Amino acid sequence: MSASRRGRLTLLGLSTAALAVACWVAMQAIAELGRARAQTASVRTELSQLRNLLPMVEQRERYVRESDDVKTMIERIGVDPAQWANRRIQRSASVLSRQDAEQLLVQQLGGGGRQWFAADLFDVSVTAPSAGLFTAPAPNEKGFNVELSGVVYFPLSAR
């Protein structure tokens, strides 16, 4: 074998080895690119979910600030929470006469403004399409549909 032929074969062998190494490096880079793209997609999904949760977090922060403001106001005016009691009220939807509905609502509000009702659900509606909440009742009117649930707070001295 001549030296030039041997040199060309050596050069071909080295070139083939370099090409194989370059292919292996390229395949590793492509695999890394795939992992990076998957991670980017995952991070974008998480970012989207966090952005959707942000208004709820801001609302909860607002509730905490408002709660702190109320606590400060209660301390300033001297209301002692240990002197108050509460009872849970839950009344499912039922039809009541205007007088009975008025009596029920007055019971929840209490006399002299000494108790208060924190409603979770409060719904008063008329039973007939032609009736109104604030108009005089028609002779055939059945009353109101009343549904409420919540907590009534009252001072222990009122028991």
Side-chain angles (χ1 to χ4, degrees):
M1 235 196 250
S2 73
S4 69
R5 185 176 168 115
R6 196 175 290 191
R8 282 187 273 180
L9 285 175
T10 304
L11 183 60
L12 179 63
L14 290 174
S15 298
T16 303
L19 183 60
V21 169
C23 286
W24 181 80
V25 169
M27 287 175 46
Q28 294 299 317
I30 289 172
E32 184 63 31
L33 178 62
R35 285 190 292 274
R37 284 182 177 164
Q39 184 179 9
T40 301
S42 172
V43 168
R44 283 185 178 159
T45 301
E46 186 176 353
L47 176 63
S48 175
Q49 291 171 348
L50 290 173
R51 282 186 177 153
N52 290 338
L53 290 175
L54 186 61
M56 186 173 56
V57 170
E58 290 171 343
Q59 182 183 30
R60 286 183 180 178
E61 287 177 345
R62 192 171 48 253
Y63 287 160
V64 168
R65 283 192 303 273
E66 290 172 1
S67 173
D68 290 342
D69 292 345
V70 169
K71 286 178 185 176
T72 302
M73 182 181 66
I74 286 172
E75 289 172 0
R76 189 177 63 237
I77 62 176
V79 174
D80 182 9
Q83 298 299 315
W84 286 76
N86 64 60
R87 100 184 128 130
R88 184 110 184 105
I89 303 292
Q90 182 152 358
R91 181 174 183 94
S92 57
S94 60
V95 177
L96 299 174
S97 68
R98 284 181 180 254
Q99 293 79 18
D100 290 342
E102 179 182 0
Q103 183 180 7
L104 174 69
L105 296 175
V106 166
Q107 287 173 353
Q108 302 318 310
L109 297 175
R114 295 275 305 157
Q115 72 185 41
W116 51 279
F117 177 62
D120 296 326
L121 170 75
F122 181 80
D123 184 36
V124 176
S125 58
V126 293
T127 56
S130 60
L133 287 173
F134 305 105
T135 58
N140 61 349
E141 186 180 315
K142 293 181 176 146
F144 293 117
N145 189 16
V146 178
E147 180 178 11
L148 58 92
S149 70
V151 180
V152 175
Y153 294 90
F154 53 92
L156 288 173
S157 61
R159 285 183 135 182

